[in-house]
Amino acid sequence: MIRIARTTLGVLAATAGTAALAFAAAPAASAAPPQVSICPGLPGQATSTDQCIVSSGPTGLTLAITIDGGEASVAGDNFSGPAAIAIGEGATVNMTGVNPGLSIGIAGPGGEVTVNGQTAPTCVGGLGFAGDFQTGKGCLNNGTVQIPLG
């Protein structure tokens, strides 16, 4: 009886040791946190990182947010408030505020959104959305075709 108990204890210890070694040798199973860049621009300020750049005139407010490889460029003045969000590799948003009003551009991987404040926004290449109160127009791209709004 003692021999059976010792054998069972030995097998359990060996199994636990093997499991501990396998667990320690396994690669970490955690996902990397997203790479986020935020560039705010209060009136008269400019901010930049590797993925985003903003500049605000004396009466402009600007904001750019990029996530995981997106790129955004925003400039605003004359009581405009353009904002850009670029999410994923190849996402590009270019925003210009030249007239009073808010505008937003959002691009997904491979998408390119452009708002210039004078003509209708464009959404090409991939997923994208733009809404521009400067012109009263916008666009939506579902990944295959641009749909004008307004």
Side-chain angles (χ1 to χ4, degrees), residues 23-110:
F23 182 77
S30 64
Q35 299 298 313
V36 178
S37 292
I38 301 173
C39 295
L42 294 173
Q45 290 183 336
T47 306
S48 66
T49 69
D50 290 342
Q51 286 79 36
C52 59
I53 183 168
V54 300
S55 69
S56 297
T59 58
L61 288 173
T62 56
L63 175 65
I65 299 172
T66 63
I67 302 171
D68 289 339
E71 295 183 359
S73 172
V74 183
D77 199 11
N78 195 25
F79 301 102
S80 67
I85 302 172
I87 305 168
E89 287 294 323
T92 305
V93 181
N94 296 302
M95 305 286 293
T96 305
V98 295
N99 295 309
L102 300 173
S103 56
I104 188 163
I106 303 169

